[in-house]
Amino acid sequence: MTAETPRIALTVERLSIRFGGLTAVENMSFSVHEGEVVSLIGPNGAGKTSAFNAITGYLPAAAGDIAYRGKRLNGLKPNRIAELGVVRTFQKTSVFAGQTVIDNILIGLHLRSRQYPTAILLRFPFVAREEKELLEEAHEILRFVGINAPAAELASSLPYGELRLLEVAVALAARPTLLLLDEPVSGMNPTETANFMKTLTRIRARDITVLLVEHDMKIVMGVSDRVVCLNQGRIIAAGAPLEIQRDPDVIRAYLGERYARAQD
């Protein structure tokens, strides 16, 4: 390997996922290099979220291997996979609606805390010091993702676009090295989507590798180094964004002739 060759972060080899007699993913193989943004696209039901679920331990693989930085992920629990740096968001927001904005992020940060019950009860000095550090980091994450709501506001009162950003903020609190984003701009208006693209650029600048599932082709083609297209559980094309948006199989299965003509 030369100095110019990027290291492979995530490897998915011959992955198959089944639900009873239904095959959601069949013989899927792809990789993600360190520092890349790779997008999985395809029609609804193509297997994108199922692949995410298998990578992050929420679904068992019927066959195949998944590895992150050389560590096999098959059979590991989601929390153990997150400890390895592989953190995800979900299609539907999964924040703590009854907690404040800042407390949502603090909950994510406390997963890394050194505190334990005896230390808290006895008020060891490091507990107060760590609480102060975590609070400062939580506010920095809020600024980083661009949430404008007051930190003390309940998450349930946020507009949908900021609720999606809060989920990303909670994921960032876990300090991922590989961040899996499942339709992060779903439900956002054009301004919110444009702002999220800027946030994604800042995330990448922190040396966080990104695997993205998204239907918004503007964001996919604008931020991705490579795109993998699925249809009916199988990869039908993989390559640079320009290659994918001109691929006849992708146009036929997903993008449509109207989209293809608009790119000419």
Side-chain angles (χ1 to χ4, degrees):
M1 181 179 293
T2 66
E4 293 77 20
T5 304
R7 292 191 302 133
I8 293 177
L10 177 71
T11 303
V12 177
E13 293 185 347
R14 302 179 300 280
L15 175 65
S16 292
I17 303 168
R18 300 188 179 94
F19 302 101
L22 175 66
T23 298
V25 171
E26 182 68 27
N27 200 34
M28 175 191 290
S29 296
F30 70 93
S31 61
V32 181
H33 292 92
E34 297 279 0
E36 271 193 315
V37 176
V38 173
S39 291
L40 299 181
I41 66 170
N44 289 330
K48 306 181 298 296
T49 295
S50 292
F52 261 37
N53 288 338
I55 292 167
T56 52
Y58 289 90
L59 272 179
D65 292 296
I66 305 166
Y68 180 62
R69 292 182 171 177
K71 172 72 174 179
R72 194 168 186 265
L73 303 185
N74 298 60
L76 297 183
K77 299 291 186 183
N79 65 310
R80 176 62 184 134
I81 292 173
E83 288 171 0
L84 294 173
V86 181
V87 179
R88 67 167 299 176
T89 65
F90 294 82
Q91 277 184 332
K92 296 181 179 179
T93 54
S94 57
V95 299
F96 299 95
Q99 300 293 323
T100 65
V101 169
I102 199 70
D103 281 343
N104 264 272
I105 300 176
L106 285 170
I107 288 168
L109 288 171
H110 272 97
L111 296 176
R112 308 195 324 260
S113 174
R114 296 183 296 115
Q115 298 175 23
Y116 51 91
T118 302
I120 295 171
L121 288 172
L122 296 178
R123 299 181 181 179
F124 285 1
F126 84 86
V127 172
R129 184 170 61 250
E130 187 179 76
E131 285 292 330
K132 181 175 181 293
E133 292 170 353
L134 291 178
L135 185 59
E136 290 173 353
E137 185 174 352
H139 280 287
E140 191 279 327
I141 292 172
L142 273 181
R143 291 189 295 270
F144 178 79
V145 300
I147 292 177
N148 297 314
E153 188 170 337
L154 286 179
S156 58
S157 66
L158 293 181
Y160 189 76
E162 291 213 329
L163 202 58
R164 299 295 288 180
L165 284 178
L166 180 57
E167 187 176 19
V168 174
V170 173
L172 289 174
R175 292 186 181 173
T177 48
L178 172 61
L179 180 61
L180 289 82
L181 299 172
D182 198 350
E183 299 190 24
V185 303
S186 173
M188 288 188 183
N189 62 40
T191 300
E192 290 169 334
T193 298
N195 288 335
F196 182 79
M197 288 179 71
K198 295 175 183 176
T199 300
L200 191 53
T201 299
R202 294 195 297 272
I203 289 172
R204 184 176 188 172
R206 290 191 169 187
D207 295 324
I208 298 173
T209 304
V210 176
L211 183 59
L212 174 71
V213 165
E214 186 51 64
H215 286 289
D216 187 319
M217 287 302 101
K218 182 176 181 181
I219 190 170
V220 167
M221 299 304 172
V223 304
S224 304
D225 295 295
R226 290 185 296 119
V227 180
V228 178
C229 184
L230 308 180
N231 188 39
Q232 298 181 345
R234 293 179 176 271
I235 294 176
I236 60 172
L242 189 58
E243 296 174 55
I244 294 300
Q245 65 186 20
R246 292 177 176 175
D247 188 287
D249 291 334
V250 177
I251 292 170
R252 183 166 50 251
Y254 182 53
L255 295 179
E257 294 292 343
R258 191 174 188 179
Y259 176 89
R261 287 195 298 271
Q263 307 312 306
D264 292 336

